[in-house]
Amino acid sequence: MTFHALLSDLDGTLADTEPIHANTWIEVLAGHGLQFDHNWFQQWVGTSDYYLAKQVIERHGLNIDVKALQVEKRDLFRQRVVEEGRLFPG
């Protein structure tokens, strides 16, 4: 088999996933007693989930492991992408 092209989506390039990321983080963190909105999330656009989780845990003294928080967000995000995910037009 010969390949003539490789299509790769850096998250948010082909699919409109940024709102889902924001909503998912806001919901997950609300479950840990933190209230944030979409304005708060804007500072994290383009950063990794690991870095976001680490910073939130350190800044707010959450009693959860970085990897555990990351997995919690990832699992909910995957569910939401299936339910709500949309490609950009064209």
Side-chain angles (χ1 to χ4, degrees):
M1 176 182 287
T2 302
F3 293 97
H4 298 284
L6 171 66
L7 179 62
S8 178
D9 177 24
L10 298 174
D11 194 41
T13 303
L14 300 177
D16 188 12
T17 55
E18 207 59 48
I20 301 172
H21 278 291
N23 291 337
T24 304
W25 269 119
I26 290 166
E27 183 176 336
V28 165
L29 295 173
H32 292 276
L34 300 175
Q35 298 300 314
F36 296 113
D37 62 16
H38 287 267
N39 290 327
W40 166 84
F41 183 76
Q42 289 304 307
Q43 68 185 309
W44 303 107
V45 172
T47 61
S48 71
D49 282 350
Y50 176 85
Y51 183 75
L52 190 158
K54 184 176 185 306
Q55 293 302 308
V56 168
I57 289 168
E58 290 175 0
R59 292 179 187 180
H60 298 280
L62 294 183
N63 189 22
I64 187 171
D65 178 70
V66 172
K67 187 68 175 172
L69 186 58
Q70 233 184 314
V71 167
E72 185 178 342
K73 186 270 182 176
R74 180 200 66 204
D75 291 348
L76 183 57
F77 174 78
R78 287 179 177 173
Q79 175 187 335
R80 293 288 164 76
V81 164
V82 170
E83 296 168 355
E84 305 168 19
R86 303 287 178 263
L87 296 176
F88 285 115

